[in-house]
PDB file of all heavy atoms in Angstrom:
ATOM      1  N   SER B 772      81.147-110.360-150.636  1.00 94.00           N
ATOM      2  CA  SER B 772      80.159-110.399-149.554  1.00 94.00           C
ATOM      3  C   SER B 772      79.007-111.368-149.798  1.00 94.00           C
ATOM      4  O   SER B 772      78.320-111.765-148.864  1.00 94.00           O
ATOM      5  CB  SER B 772      79.564-108.995-149.344  1.00 94.00           C
ATOM      6  OG  SER B 772      80.584-108.034-149.142  1.00 94.00           O
ATOM      7  N   TYR B 773      78.761-111.713-151.052  1.00 95.00           N
ATOM      8  CA  TYR B 773      77.604-112.559-151.390  1.00 95.00           C
ATOM      9  C   TYR B 773      78.044-113.761-152.214  1.00 95.00           C
ATOM     10  O   TYR B 773      79.121-113.756-152.805  1.00 95.00           O
ATOM     11  CB  TYR B 773      76.552-111.745-152.155  1.00 95.00           C
ATOM     12  CG  TYR B 773      75.881-110.707-151.291  1.00 95.00           C
ATOM     13  CD1 TYR B 773      76.436-109.441-151.124  1.00 95.00           C
ATOM     14  CD2 TYR B 773      74.702-111.009-150.605  1.00 95.00           C
ATOM     15  CE1 TYR B 773      75.833-108.497-150.304  1.00 95.00           C
ATOM     16  CE2 TYR B 773      74.090-110.075-149.785  1.00 95.00           C
ATOM     17  CZ  TYR B 773      74.662-108.815-149.636  1.00 95.00           C
ATOM     18  OH  TYR B 773      74.071-107.891-148.815  1.00 95.00           O
ATOM     19  N   ASN B 774      77.173-114.767-152.259  1.00 95.00           N
ATOM     20  CA  ASN B 774      77.450-115.985-153.037  1.00 95.00           C
ATOM     21  C   ASN B 774      77.199-115.725-154.517  1.00 95.00           C
ATOM     22  O   ASN B 774      76.202-116.167-155.079  1.00 95.00           O
ATOM     23  CB  ASN B 774      76.524-117.128-152.623  1.00 95.00           C
ATOM     24  CG  ASN B 774      76.637-117.487-151.171  1.00 95.00           C
ATOM     25  OD1 ASN B 774      77.455-116.935-150.443  1.00 95.00           O
ATOM     26  ND2 ASN B 774      75.820-118.433-150.743  1.00 95.00           N
ATOM     27  N   THR B 775      78.083-115.006-155.129  1.00 97.00           N
ATOM     28  CA  THR B 775      77.887-114.611-156.527  1.00 97.00           C
ATOM     29  C   THR B 775      78.629-115.532-157.480  1.00 97.00           C
ATOM     30  O   THR B 775      79.687-116.070-157.153  1.00 97.00           O
ATOM     31  CB  THR B 775      78.419-113.190-156.756  1.00 97.00           C
ATOM     32  OG1 THR B 775      79.810-113.159-156.370  1.00 97.00           O
ATOM     33  CG2 THR B 775      77.652-112.174-155.942  1.00 97.00           C
ATOM     34  N   MET B 776      78.065-115.697-158.662  1.00 98.00           N
ATOM     35  CA  MET B 776      78.836-116.213-159.788  1.00 98.00           C
ATOM     36  C   MET B 776      79.634-115.026-160.319  1.00 98.00           C
ATOM     37  O   MET B 776      79.079-113.941-160.520  1.00 98.00           O
ATOM     38  CB  MET B 776      77.906-116.750-160.864  1.00 98.00           C
ATOM     39  CG  MET B 776      77.172-118.006-160.423  1.00 98.00           C
ATOM     40  SD  MET B 776      75.897-118.440-161.633  1.00 98.00           S
ATOM     41  CE  MET B 776      75.617-120.161-161.230  1.00 98.00           C
ATOM     42  N   GLN B 777      80.925-115.228-160.571  1.00 97.00           N
ATOM     43  CA  GLN B 777      81.781-114.064-160.764  1.00 97.00           C
ATOM     44  C   GLN B 777      82.330-113.941-162.176  1.00 97.00           C
ATOM     45  O   GLN B 777      83.317-113.240-162.401  1.00 97.00           O
ATOM     46  CB  GLN B 777      82.889-114.070-159.708  1.00 97.00           C
ATOM     47  CG  GLN B 777      82.280-114.152-158.305  1.00 97.00           C
ATOM     48  CD  GLN B 777      83.272-113.996-157.180  1.00 97.00           C
ATOM     49  OE1 GLN B 777      84.460-113.836-157.413  1.00 97.00           O
ATOM     50  NE2 GLN B 777      82.766-114.026-155.947  1.00 97.00           N
ATOM     51  N   ASP B 778      81.679-114.610-163.123  1.00 98.00           N
ATOM     52  CA  ASP B 778      82.122-114.487-164.518  1.00 98.00           C
ATOM     53  C   ASP B 778      81.149-113.591-165.288  1.00 98.00           C
ATOM     54  O   ASP B 778      80.035-113.340-164.850  1.00 98.00           O
ATOM     55  CB  ASP B 778      82.232-115.862-165.165  1.00 98.00           C
ATOM     56  CG  ASP B 778      80.908-116.617-165.123  1.00 98.00           C
ATOM     57  OD1 ASP B 778      80.071-116.318-164.230  1.00 98.00           O
ATOM     58  OD2 ASP B 778      80.694-117.497-165.961  1.00 98.00           O
ATOM     59  N   ARG B 779      81.589-113.114-166.428  1.00 98.00           N
ATOM     60  CA  ARG B 779      80.767-112.192-167.214  1.00 98.00           C
ATOM     61  C   ARG B 779      79.452-112.807-167.663  1.00 98.00           C
ATOM     62  O   ARG B 779      78.457-112.127-167.839  1.00 98.00           O
ATOM     63  CB  ARG B 779      81.563-111.657-168.417  1.00 98.00           C
ATOM     64  CG  ARG B 779      81.920-112.697-169.456  1.00 98.00           C
ATOM     65  CD  ARG B 779      82.713-112.075-170.619  1.00 98.00           C
ATOM     66  NE  ARG B 779      81.934-111.080-171.357  1.00 98.00           N
ATOM     67  CZ  ARG B 779      81.005-111.394-172.260  1.00 98.00           C
ATOM     68  NH1 ARG B 779      80.728-112.648-172.537  1.00 98.00           N
ATOM     69  NH2 ARG B 779      80.358-110.442-172.893  1.00 98.00           N
ATOM     70  N   ALA B 780      79.454-114.140-167.834  1.00 98.00           N
ATOM     71  CA  ALA B 780      78.232-114.807-168.288  1.00 98.00           C
ATOM     72  C   ALA B 780      77.110-114.656-167.265  1.00 98.00           C
ATOM     73  O   ALA B 780      75.938-114.760-167.610  1.00 98.00           O
ATOM     74  CB  ALA B 780      78.509-116.292-168.535  1.00 98.00           C
ATOM     75  N   HIS B 781      77.482-114.427-166.032  1.00 98.00           N
ATOM     76  CA  HIS B 781      76.484-114.356-164.966  1.00 98.00           C
ATOM     77  C   HIS B 781      76.442-112.984-164.306  1.00 98.00           C
ATOM     78  O   HIS B 781      76.110-112.851-163.129  1.00 98.00           O
ATOM     79  CB  HIS B 781      76.756-115.455-163.919  1.00 98.00           C
ATOM     80  CG  HIS B 781      76.637-116.824-164.498  1.00 98.00           C
ATOM     81  ND1 HIS B 781      77.730-117.538-164.947  1.00 98.00           N
ATOM     82  CD2 HIS B 781      75.547-117.590-164.761  1.00 98.00           C
ATOM     83  CE1 HIS B 781      77.318-118.703-165.431  1.00 98.00           C
ATOM     84  NE2 HIS B 781      76.006-118.767-165.325  1.00 98.00           N
ATOM     85  N   ARG B 782      76.813-111.969-165.075  1.00 98.00           N
ATOM     86  CA  ARG B 782      76.745-110.596-164.554  1.00 98.00           C
ATOM     87  C   ARG B 782      76.019-109.720-165.569  1.00 98.00           C
ATOM     88  O   ARG B 782      76.408-109.678-166.739  1.00 98.00           O
ATOM     89  CB  ARG B 782      78.141-110.053-164.260  1.00 98.00           C
ATOM     90  CG  ARG B 782      78.120-108.757-163.452  1.00 98.00           C
ATOM     91  CD  ARG B 782      79.514-108.212-163.161  1.00 98.00           C
ATOM     92  NE  ARG B 782      80.294-109.051-162.267  1.00 98.00           N
ATOM     93  CZ  ARG B 782      81.436-109.659-162.597  1.00 98.00           C
ATOM     94  NH1 ARG B 782      81.937-109.506-163.802  1.00 98.00           N
ATOM     95  NH2 ARG B 782      82.080-110.417-161.720  1.00 98.00           N
ATOM     96  N   ALA B 783      74.962-109.040-165.105  1.00 98.00           N
ATOM     97  CA  ALA B 783      74.160-108.175-165.972  1.00 98.00           C
ATOM     98  C   ALA B 783      74.080-106.796-165.348  1.00 98.00           C
ATOM     99  O   ALA B 783      74.289-106.622-164.143  1.00 98.00           O
ATOM    100  CB  ALA B 783      72.755-108.745-166.144  1.00 98.00           C
ATOM    101  N   MET B 784      73.785-105.810-166.187  1.00 98.00           N
ATOM    102  CA  MET B 784      73.521-104.467-165.673  1.00 98.00           C
ATOM    103  C   MET B 784      72.331-103.890-166.431  1.00 98.00           C
ATOM    104  O   MET B 784      72.185-104.107-167.640  1.00 98.00           O
ATOM    105  CB  MET B 784      74.737-103.562-165.849  1.00 98.00           C
ATOM    106  CG  MET B 784      74.552-102.168-165.252  1.00 98.00           C
ATOM    107  SD  MET B 784      76.067-101.156-165.340  1.00 98.00           S
ATOM    108  CE  MET B 784      75.461 -99.629-164.598  1.00 98.00           C
ATOM    109  N   ALA B 785      71.474-103.202-165.682  1.00 98.00           N
ATOM    110  CA  ALA B 785      70.346-102.516-166.300  1.00 98.00           C
ATOM    111  C   ALA B 785      70.099-101.229-165.536  1.00 98.00           C
ATOM    112  O   ALA B 785      70.509-101.079-164.380  1.00 98.00           O
ATOM    113  CB  ALA B 785      69.101-103.399-166.275  1.00 98.00           C
TER     114      ALA B 785
END
Side-chain angles (χ1 to χ4, degrees):
Chain B
S772 306
Y773 291 86
N774 301 357
T775 57
M776 292 171 161
Q777 305 187 359
D778 58 336
R779 66 180 297 282
H781 297 96
R782 192 180 293 117
M784 184 175 179

